[in-house]
Amino acid sequence: MNIDPVVNALKSIAKPAASLVINQAQRNETVVRTLKQFNFDPVQPPKDVDGIYVYSLIEYSVDKPEVLLNLFREREIKNAFWSAYTSNDPLGFYKEVEKFLQRTDSEFDIRLMKIELRFELEEFGEIFIKVAKRSKSKEFEPFPEWNLDEYPTEFKSLIREKIRSFCGRQFVFDAFKQFCNKNRSGYFTVVGDAGMGKSTIAAKYVWDNKLPCYFNIRQTSSNRAELFLESIRKQLSKRYQLQNVEKANLADLLEQVSKKIPVSEHLVIVVDALDEVEQEAGGNLLDLPTALPERIYFLLTRRPYTIDKKRLSAPDVPMEELDLRANDYVNLSREDIKKYIGLFLNDDEDHKKALRQWIEDRKIDDNDFVEQVATKSENNFMYLRYVLPGIAKGDYEDLSLTQLPDGLQDYYQVHWGRMGMDAKPQEVKVFILFILVEIGTPITWKMIADIAKQDEYDVQSVLEEWVEYLKQQDIKGEICYSIYHASFLDFLKAKRVLDSKRKLFQEVNQRIADYLIGKMA
């Protein structure tokens, strides 16, 4: 199949024009329309390699810059991809693409546009594999593990999401570098309140340095010591070709690794959200070793804690904490917050036009907007992640700059009130949100509907209404939902405590219990 007409059609919706494609529904509609334009069945892909390649390119390329479309149209790239696919060598594909780009002008364009090439090649490969599976053609089996990075697939979407609009935090990375330079090994912990960007700092450091990592996530129950050890064991085994370590504990693993690290190098393991770990009392969180070999460091993150909750003891290992709330870092954090606001105001294709219109309608100076929103954020990035897109969407058309919420918790409360969540007719929405709180793991909207005893369409409508607060995951082919951020989970739990006497919240737990009993019967 001639790929050129397809690429030419896709160019008409490539960025920057694709700033119009602002949500998943519109994107899906564009994909379906383009597939039909070239006589593809949106439900059933073709079974030949050329057809699957073009089909996948359509699914991948909506809203992608033109330079990437031109890259994938090259026959040399297509052949390199298929060779890497059949030999289960995704890193080989990355290397071939880099070689190709060095002979063209596209390399400069990709760097100029700050495109993460490894990310894009991986995304295309993942889409190709999904389409190939839907084709049900034996020609594409066995399906390769399309992983272009050292860190595990389970954390890729989280890391990608966190680094998309990353800026600042250099003072954190500088402090960690100094810690490593002056100590032979050690634990370095970044401490901060919910929403201050701890997970983003961890994700950025992992992304830039391609390091072993583990992200504790309470909502998905990925927060237990045995899961952490299993994941780190696999990562270290792959990186250092360790043998016969299937039952090795972390201390033994690190001893073996220390013998394989070149003298001029060191190893950093990144662990996010120690505060979300679930573990029986006694011993260090995640069973972190009380001694570390030389040139091995841990970069940890956690919320503030009382001394009894620290649970990290290693008397002979250097330890240091950087508290993002400390006076020494308040001004540095504020500067990063202002840069982040500027990013939305000047560079974000999806929001900058609407944000500027809101500012102009109120005759606000750009600097005043940045300064006042920075103050209201209380140095909390999660606040900005919600409020700035909310302004752009028109959620605050009836408010002035001074009337915007103060801080993240106030934001949640203001939004809760503006959504009418305390009103009697809104109880079904509260019920659905609290199912997500109490169930504790990602679940499908059909399961939510069964527990809530509500029409599936009505449940889907509620989930769409709260979409920016929910995380969607594809688990075994089904879309599952959970609370997006721990700070919102905390807010909802506080609501539950405050309203503990209301029958509505007691009924949530009873319905969940009845549903689970029914499934077991």
Side-chain angles (χ1 to χ4, degrees), residues 166-218:
F166 182 90
C167 68
R169 309 325 243 166
Q170 190 58 45
F171 69 92
V172 177
F173 302 134
D174 289 345
F176 180 56
K177 183 178 180 180
Q178 291 172 14
F179 173 79
C180 294
N181 288 341
K182 70 183 182 183
N183 296 292
R184 294 182 176 180
S185 63
Y187 290 108
F188 185 92
T189 305
V190 179
V191 178
D193 290 327
M196 293 189 80
K198 302 182 300 298
S199 295
T200 303
I201 289 169
K204 178 64 172 174
Y205 199 78
V206 169
W207 177 265
D208 285 348
N209 298 284
K210 303 296 180 277
L211 298 169
C213 63
Y214 195 82
F215 290 80
N216 291 288
I217 306 171
R218 180 172 50 187

Short mmCIF file of all heavy atoms in Angstrom, two decimals, residues 166-218:
data_model
loop_
_atom_site.label_atom_id
_atom_site.label_comp_id
_atom_site.label_asym_id
_atom_site.label_seq_id
_atom_site.Cartn_x
_atom_site.Cartn_y
_atom_site.Cartn_z
N PHE A 166 7.11 19.28 32.59
CA PHE A 166 8.08 19.48 33.66
C PHE A 166 8.88 20.76 33.44
O PHE A 166 9.28 21.09 32.33
CB PHE A 166 9.04 18.30 33.74
CG PHE A 166 10.03 18.41 34.86
CD1 PHE A 166 9.73 17.90 36.11
CD2 PHE A 166 11.25 19.04 34.69
CE1 PHE A 166 10.62 17.99 37.16
CE2 PHE A 166 12.15 19.15 35.72
CZ PHE A 166 11.84 18.62 36.96
N CYS A 167 9.13 21.47 34.53
CA CYS A 167 10.06 22.61 34.46
C CYS A 167 10.61 22.87 35.86
O CYS A 167 9.97 22.57 36.87
CB CYS A 167 9.40 23.86 33.90
SG CYS A 167 8.14 24.60 34.95
N GLY A 168 11.83 23.43 35.92
CA GLY A 168 12.43 23.80 37.19
C GLY A 168 12.95 22.62 37.98
O GLY A 168 13.34 21.60 37.44
N ARG A 169 13.00 22.78 39.32
CA ARG A 169 13.45 21.80 40.31
C ARG A 169 14.94 21.50 40.20
O ARG A 169 15.42 20.50 40.75
CB ARG A 169 12.67 20.49 40.22
CG ARG A 169 11.17 20.60 40.23
CD ARG A 169 10.68 21.70 41.09
NE ARG A 169 9.86 21.29 42.21
CZ ARG A 169 9.57 22.09 43.22
NH1 ARG A 169 10.02 23.32 43.24
NH2 ARG A 169 8.85 21.67 44.22
N GLN A 170 15.69 22.34 39.51
CA GLN A 170 17.12 22.10 39.37
C GLN A 170 17.82 22.10 40.72
O GLN A 170 18.80 21.37 40.93
CB GLN A 170 17.75 23.16 38.45
CG GLN A 170 19.19 22.86 38.06
CD GLN A 170 19.35 21.53 37.36
OE1 GLN A 170 18.58 21.19 36.47
NE2 GLN A 170 20.34 20.74 37.78
N PHE A 171 17.31 22.89 41.67
CA PHE A 171 17.95 22.93 42.99
C PHE A 171 17.88 21.58 43.70
O PHE A 171 18.78 21.24 44.49
CB PHE A 171 17.32 24.03 43.86
CG PHE A 171 15.91 23.79 44.31
CD1 PHE A 171 15.65 23.16 45.52
CD2 PHE A 171 14.84 24.21 43.53
CE1 PHE A 171 14.34 22.95 45.94
CE2 PHE A 171 13.54 24.00 43.95
CZ PHE A 171 13.28 23.36 45.15
N VAL A 172 16.86 20.80 43.41
CA VAL A 172 16.76 19.46 43.99
C VAL A 172 17.83 18.55 43.40
O VAL A 172 18.56 17.84 44.12
CB VAL A 172 15.37 18.86 43.77
CG1 VAL A 172 15.30 17.43 44.34
CG2 VAL A 172 14.28 19.72 44.40
N PHE A 173 17.95 18.57 42.07
CA PHE A 173 18.93 17.72 41.40
C PHE A 173 20.34 18.12 41.78
O PHE A 173 21.23 17.26 41.93
CB PHE A 173 18.72 17.77 39.90
CG PHE A 173 17.34 17.34 39.46
CD1 PHE A 173 16.63 18.08 38.52
CD2 PHE A 173 16.74 16.21 39.99
CE1 PHE A 173 15.35 17.69 38.13
CE2 PHE A 173 15.47 15.82 39.61
CZ PHE A 173 14.78 16.56 38.67
N ASP A 174 20.58 19.41 41.94
CA ASP A 174 21.92 19.88 42.34
C ASP A 174 22.26 19.40 43.75
O ASP A 174 23.40 18.99 44.01
CB ASP A 174 21.98 21.42 42.30
CG ASP A 174 21.96 21.97 40.88
OD1 ASP A 174 22.20 21.19 39.95
OD2 ASP A 174 21.69 23.17 40.72
N ALA A 175 21.28 19.46 44.65
CA ALA A 175 21.51 19.02 46.03
C ALA A 175 21.81 17.52 46.08
O ALA A 175 22.68 17.07 46.84
CB ALA A 175 20.30 19.34 46.90
N PHE A 176 21.09 16.75 45.25
CA PHE A 176 21.34 15.30 45.23
C PHE A 176 22.73 15.01 44.65
O PHE A 176 23.46 14.13 45.15
CB PHE A 176 20.26 14.58 44.43
CG PHE A 176 20.45 13.09 44.35
CD1 PHE A 176 20.55 12.34 45.50
CD2 PHE A 176 20.53 12.45 43.13
CE1 PHE A 176 20.72 10.96 45.45
CE2 PHE A 176 20.70 11.08 43.06
CZ PHE A 176 20.81 10.33 44.22
N LYS A 177 23.11 15.74 43.64
CA LYS A 177 24.44 15.55 43.04
C LYS A 177 25.53 15.83 44.07
O LYS A 177 26.52 15.09 44.18
CB LYS A 177 24.60 16.47 41.83
CG LYS A 177 25.93 16.29 41.10
CD LYS A 177 26.01 17.20 39.88
CE LYS A 177 27.34 17.02 39.16
NZ LYS A 177 27.43 17.90 37.97
N GLN A 178 25.36 16.90 44.83
CA GLN A 178 26.34 17.24 45.87
C GLN A 178 26.40 16.13 46.93
O GLN A 178 27.48 15.80 47.43
CB GLN A 178 25.97 18.57 46.52
CG GLN A 178 26.15 19.77 45.59
CD GLN A 178 25.60 21.05 46.20
OE1 GLN A 178 25.32 21.11 47.40
NE2 GLN A 178 25.44 22.07 45.37
N PHE A 179 25.23 15.59 47.27
CA PHE A 179 25.18 14.50 48.26
C PHE A 179 25.99 13.30 47.76
O PHE A 179 26.77 12.71 48.52
CB PHE A 179 23.73 14.11 48.51
CG PHE A 179 23.55 12.90 49.38
CD1 PHE A 179 23.68 13.00 50.76
CD2 PHE A 179 23.26 11.66 48.83
CE1 PHE A 179 23.53 11.88 51.58
CE2 PHE A 179 23.11 10.54 49.64
CZ PHE A 179 23.24 10.65 51.02
N CYS A 180 25.81 12.94 46.50
CA CYS A 180 26.53 11.79 45.94
C CYS A 180 28.03 12.07 45.87
O CYS A 180 28.85 11.17 46.11
CB CYS A 180 26.00 11.46 44.54
SG CYS A 180 24.29 10.87 44.52
N ASN A 181 28.39 13.30 45.55
CA ASN A 181 29.81 13.65 45.43
C ASN A 181 30.55 13.58 46.76
O ASN A 181 31.74 13.25 46.79
CB ASN A 181 29.96 15.05 44.84
CG ASN A 181 29.60 15.11 43.36
OD1 ASN A 181 29.58 14.08 42.69
ND2 ASN A 181 29.30 16.28 42.86
N LYS A 182 29.85 13.87 47.85
CA LYS A 182 30.55 13.92 49.14
C LYS A 182 30.37 12.65 49.98
O LYS A 182 30.97 12.53 51.04
CB LYS A 182 30.09 15.14 49.94
CG LYS A 182 28.66 15.06 50.45
CD LYS A 182 28.27 16.36 51.19
CE LYS A 182 26.85 16.26 51.74
NZ LYS A 182 26.42 17.52 52.39
N ASN A 183 29.57 11.70 49.49
CA ASN A 183 29.35 10.45 50.23
C ASN A 183 29.59 9.24 49.33
O ASN A 183 29.27 9.27 48.13
CB ASN A 183 27.92 10.39 50.78
CG ASN A 183 27.65 11.49 51.80
OD1 ASN A 183 28.20 11.47 52.89
ND2 ASN A 183 26.81 12.44 51.43
N ARG A 184 30.10 8.19 49.91
CA ARG A 184 30.39 6.98 49.13
C ARG A 184 29.14 6.18 48.80
O ARG A 184 29.13 5.35 47.90
CB ARG A 184 31.38 6.11 49.90
CG ARG A 184 32.76 6.76 50.05
CD ARG A 184 33.71 5.83 50.77
NE ARG A 184 35.05 6.40 50.84
CZ ARG A 184 36.09 5.80 51.41
NH1 ARG A 184 35.92 4.60 51.98
NH2 ARG A 184 37.27 6.38 51.43
N SER A 185 28.07 6.41 49.54
CA SER A 185 26.77 5.77 49.30
C SER A 185 25.77 6.53 50.16
O SER A 185 26.15 7.44 50.91
CB SER A 185 26.79 4.29 49.69
OG SER A 185 27.04 4.15 51.08
N GLY A 186 24.48 6.19 50.05
CA GLY A 186 23.56 6.85 50.95
C GLY A 186 22.12 6.93 50.49
O GLY A 186 21.78 6.59 49.35
N TYR A 187 21.29 7.41 51.42
CA TYR A 187 19.87 7.64 51.18
C TYR A 187 19.60 9.15 51.17
O TYR A 187 19.89 9.85 52.14
CB TYR A 187 19.03 7.01 52.29
CG TYR A 187 19.02 5.50 52.30
CD1 TYR A 187 19.70 4.78 53.29
CD2 TYR A 187 18.29 4.78 51.35
CE1 TYR A 187 19.68 3.40 53.32
CE2 TYR A 187 18.27 3.40 51.37
CZ TYR A 187 18.96 2.71 52.35
OH TYR A 187 18.93 1.33 52.37
N PHE A 188 19.02 9.64 50.07
CA PHE A 188 18.66 11.05 49.94
C PHE A 188 17.16 11.12 49.75
O PHE A 188 16.61 10.51 48.82
CB PHE A 188 19.37 11.68 48.74
CG PHE A 188 19.16 13.16 48.59
CD1 PHE A 188 20.05 14.07 49.15
CD2 PHE A 188 18.08 13.65 47.88
CE1 PHE A 188 19.86 15.44 49.01
CE2 PHE A 188 17.87 15.02 47.73
CZ PHE A 188 18.77 15.92 48.30
N THR A 189 16.46 11.85 50.63
CA THR A 189 15.00 11.86 50.62
C THR A 189 14.46 13.25 50.34
O THR A 189 14.86 14.22 51.00
CB THR A 189 14.43 11.37 51.97
OG1 THR A 189 14.98 10.09 52.28
CG2 THR A 189 12.92 11.26 51.90
N VAL A 190 13.57 13.36 49.37
CA VAL A 190 12.85 14.61 49.08
C VAL A 190 11.52 14.54 49.80
O VAL A 190 10.72 13.62 49.58
CB VAL A 190 12.63 14.79 47.57
CG1 VAL A 190 11.85 16.08 47.30
CG2 VAL A 190 13.96 14.83 46.83
N VAL A 191 11.27 15.51 50.68
CA VAL A 191 10.05 15.54 51.49
C VAL A 191 9.19 16.73 51.06
O VAL A 191 9.71 17.82 50.80
CB VAL A 191 10.40 15.68 52.99
CG1 VAL A 191 9.14 15.76 53.84
CG2 VAL A 191 11.28 14.51 53.44
N GLY A 192 7.89 16.52 50.98
CA GLY A 192 7.00 17.61 50.61
C GLY A 192 5.54 17.21 50.74
O GLY A 192 5.22 16.01 50.77
N ASP A 193 4.68 18.21 50.81
CA ASP A 193 3.24 17.95 50.89
C ASP A 193 2.70 17.38 49.58
O ASP A 193 3.36 17.48 48.53
CB ASP A 193 2.49 19.24 51.22
CG ASP A 193 2.74 19.70 52.65
OD1 ASP A 193 2.92 18.84 53.52
OD2 ASP A 193 2.77 20.93 52.88
N ALA A 194 1.50 16.83 49.63
CA ALA A 194 0.84 16.32 48.43
C ALA A 194 0.73 17.43 47.39
O ALA A 194 0.32 18.55 47.70
CB ALA A 194 -0.54 15.80 48.77
N GLY A 195 1.10 17.13 46.16
CA GLY A 195 0.96 18.10 45.08
C GLY A 195 2.17 19.00 44.86
O GLY A 195 2.16 19.83 43.95
N MET A 196 3.22 18.82 45.67
CA MET A 196 4.40 19.68 45.53
C MET A 196 5.37 19.19 44.47
O MET A 196 6.42 19.80 44.26
CB MET A 196 5.11 19.83 46.88
CG MET A 196 4.30 20.61 47.91
SD MET A 196 5.22 21.00 49.41
CE MET A 196 6.16 22.44 48.86
N GLY A 197 5.04 18.09 43.80
CA GLY A 197 5.83 17.64 42.66
C GLY A 197 6.88 16.59 42.97
O GLY A 197 7.81 16.39 42.19
N LYS A 198 6.72 15.86 44.07
CA LYS A 198 7.72 14.85 44.44
C LYS A 198 7.80 13.73 43.40
O LYS A 198 8.89 13.33 42.98
CB LYS A 198 7.40 14.28 45.82
CG LYS A 198 7.32 15.31 46.92
CD LYS A 198 7.04 14.68 48.27
CE LYS A 198 5.72 13.92 48.32
NZ LYS A 198 4.54 14.79 48.08
N SER A 199 6.64 13.22 43.00
CA SER A 199 6.63 12.13 42.01
C SER A 199 7.16 12.61 40.66
O SER A 199 7.81 11.86 39.93
CB SER A 199 5.21 11.58 41.84
OG SER A 199 4.76 10.99 43.04
N THR A 200 6.89 13.87 40.35
CA THR A 200 7.39 14.42 39.09
C THR A 200 8.91 14.55 39.12
O THR A 200 9.59 14.29 38.13
CB THR A 200 6.74 15.79 38.82
OG1 THR A 200 5.32 15.63 38.81
CG2 THR A 200 7.18 16.36 37.49
N ILE A 201 9.45 14.95 40.26
CA ILE A 201 10.91 15.01 40.42
C ILE A 201 11.51 13.62 40.22
O ILE A 201 12.50 13.45 39.49
CB ILE A 201 11.27 15.57 41.81
CG1 ILE A 201 10.94 17.07 41.88
CG2 ILE A 201 12.74 15.33 42.15
CD1 ILE A 201 11.00 17.65 43.28
N ALA A 202 10.90 12.62 40.85
CA ALA A 202 11.38 11.24 40.71
C ALA A 202 11.30 10.79 39.25
O ALA A 202 12.24 10.19 38.71
CB ALA A 202 10.57 10.31 41.60
N ALA A 203 10.16 11.07 38.61
CA ALA A 203 9.96 10.64 37.22
C ALA A 203 10.97 11.30 36.28
O ALA A 203 11.52 10.66 35.38
CB ALA A 203 8.54 10.97 36.78
N LYS A 204 11.22 12.58 36.47
CA LYS A 204 12.16 13.31 35.62
C LYS A 204 13.57 12.76 35.78
O LYS A 204 14.30 12.60 34.79
CB LYS A 204 12.12 14.79 35.98
CG LYS A 204 13.10 15.66 35.19
CD LYS A 204 12.78 15.67 33.71
CE LYS A 204 13.65 16.69 32.97
NZ LYS A 204 13.46 16.62 31.49
N TYR A 205 13.96 12.46 37.02
CA TYR A 205 15.31 11.94 37.24
C TYR A 205 15.48 10.56 36.62
O TYR A 205 16.51 10.25 36.03
CB TYR A 205 15.62 11.90 38.74
CG TYR A 205 17.09 11.81 39.03
CD1 TYR A 205 17.90 12.95 38.95
CD2 TYR A 205 17.70 10.60 39.36
CE1 TYR A 205 19.27 12.88 39.20
CE2 TYR A 205 19.05 10.52 39.61
CZ TYR A 205 19.83 11.66 39.52
OH TYR A 205 21.19 11.57 39.76
N VAL A 206 14.43 9.74 36.73
CA VAL A 206 14.47 8.42 36.10
C VAL A 206 14.54 8.56 34.58
O VAL A 206 15.33 7.89 33.91
CB VAL A 206 13.22 7.59 36.51
CG1 VAL A 206 13.10 6.33 35.65
CG2 VAL A 206 13.30 7.22 37.98
N TRP A 207 13.71 9.44 34.02
CA TRP A 207 13.65 9.61 32.57
C TRP A 207 14.98 10.09 32.01
O TRP A 207 15.47 9.58 31.01
CB TRP A 207 12.55 10.61 32.22
CG TRP A 207 12.45 10.90 30.75
CD1 TRP A 207 13.03 11.94 30.08
CD2 TRP A 207 11.76 10.13 29.76
NE1 TRP A 207 12.73 11.87 28.75
CE2 TRP A 207 11.96 10.77 28.52
CE3 TRP A 207 10.98 8.98 29.82
CZ2 TRP A 207 11.40 10.29 27.34
CZ3 TRP A 207 10.44 8.49 28.64
CH2 TRP A 207 10.65 9.14 27.43
N ASP A 208 15.58 11.07 32.68
CA ASP A 208 16.84 11.65 32.17
C ASP A 208 18.01 10.68 32.30
O ASP A 208 18.93 10.72 31.48
CB ASP A 208 17.17 12.94 32.92
CG ASP A 208 16.28 14.10 32.49
OD1 ASP A 208 15.58 13.97 31.47
OD2 ASP A 208 16.29 15.14 33.18
N ASN A 209 17.98 9.83 33.32
CA ASN A 209 19.14 8.99 33.61
C ASN A 209 18.92 7.50 33.36
O ASN A 209 19.85 6.71 33.53
CB ASN A 209 19.59 9.22 35.05
CG ASN A 209 20.02 10.65 35.29
OD1 ASN A 209 21.10 11.06 34.90
ND2 ASN A 209 19.16 11.44 35.93
N LYS A 210 17.68 7.13 32.99
CA LYS A 210 17.34 5.74 32.69
C LYS A 210 17.76 4.82 33.83
O LYS A 210 18.63 3.96 33.70
CB LYS A 210 18.00 5.31 31.37
CG LYS A 210 17.63 6.19 30.20
CD LYS A 210 16.15 6.10 29.89
CE LYS A 210 15.74 6.96 28.72
NZ LYS A 210 15.49 8.34 29.04
N LEU A 211 17.10 4.99 34.98
CA LEU A 211 17.50 4.33 36.21
C LEU A 211 16.50 3.29 36.68
O LEU A 211 15.31 3.38 36.36
CB LEU A 211 17.66 5.38 37.32
CG LEU A 211 18.73 6.45 37.09
CD1 LEU A 211 18.59 7.55 38.11
CD2 LEU A 211 20.12 5.83 37.14
N PRO A 212 16.94 2.32 37.49
CA PRO A 212 15.99 1.44 38.16
C PRO A 212 15.09 2.28 39.08
O PRO A 212 15.55 3.25 39.69
CB PRO A 212 16.88 0.51 38.99
CG PRO A 212 18.24 0.61 38.37
CD PRO A 212 18.34 1.98 37.82
N CYS A 213 13.82 1.90 39.17
CA CYS A 213 12.89 2.74 39.93
C CYS A 213 11.71 1.92 40.42
O CYS A 213 11.44 0.82 39.92
CB CYS A 213 12.39 3.90 39.07
SG CYS A 213 11.44 3.36 37.63
N TYR A 214 11.00 2.51 41.40
CA TYR A 214 9.74 1.94 41.84
C TYR A 214 8.86 3.06 42.35
O TYR A 214 9.30 3.90 43.15
CB TYR A 214 9.93 0.89 42.94
CG TYR A 214 8.69 0.05 43.14
CD1 TYR A 214 8.43 -1.03 42.31
CD2 TYR A 214 7.76 0.37 44.12
CE1 TYR A 214 7.28 -1.79 42.46
CE2 TYR A 214 6.61 -0.39 44.28
CZ TYR A 214 6.37 -1.46 43.44
OH TYR A 214 5.23 -2.20 43.57
N PHE A 215 7.61 3.09 41.87
CA PHE A 215 6.64 4.10 42.26
C PHE A 215 5.55 3.43 43.08
O PHE A 215 4.78 2.62 42.54
CB PHE A 215 6.04 4.80 41.04
CG PHE A 215 7.02 5.69 40.33
CD1 PHE A 215 7.97 5.16 39.46
CD2 PHE A 215 7.00 7.07 40.52
CE1 PHE A 215 8.89 5.98 38.81
CE2 PHE A 215 7.91 7.90 39.88
CZ PHE A 215 8.86 7.36 39.02
N ASN A 216 5.52 3.71 44.38
CA ASN A 216 4.47 3.15 45.24
C ASN A 216 3.15 3.88 44.96
O ASN A 216 3.10 5.11 45.02
CB ASN A 216 4.85 3.33 46.71
CG ASN A 216 6.01 2.46 47.10
OD1 ASN A 216 5.88 1.25 47.22
ND2 ASN A 216 7.19 3.07 47.27
N ILE A 217 2.11 3.12 44.63
CA ILE A 217 0.82 3.72 44.29
C ILE A 217 -0.25 3.03 45.11
O ILE A 217 -0.60 1.86 44.87
CB ILE A 217 0.53 3.56 42.79
CG1 ILE A 217 1.68 4.14 41.96
CG2 ILE A 217 -0.79 4.28 42.43
CD1 ILE A 217 1.58 3.84 40.47
N ARG A 218 -0.75 3.75 46.09
CA ARG A 218 -1.75 3.19 47.01
C ARG A 218 -3.02 2.77 46.27
O ARG A 218 -3.61 1.74 46.57
CB ARG A 218 -2.06 4.23 48.08
CG ARG A 218 -3.09 3.80 49.11
CD ARG A 218 -3.19 4.81 50.24
NE ARG A 218 -3.35 6.17 49.74
CZ ARG A 218 -3.33 7.25 50.51
NH1 ARG A 218 -3.11 7.13 51.80
NH2 ARG A 218 -3.50 8.44 49.99
#
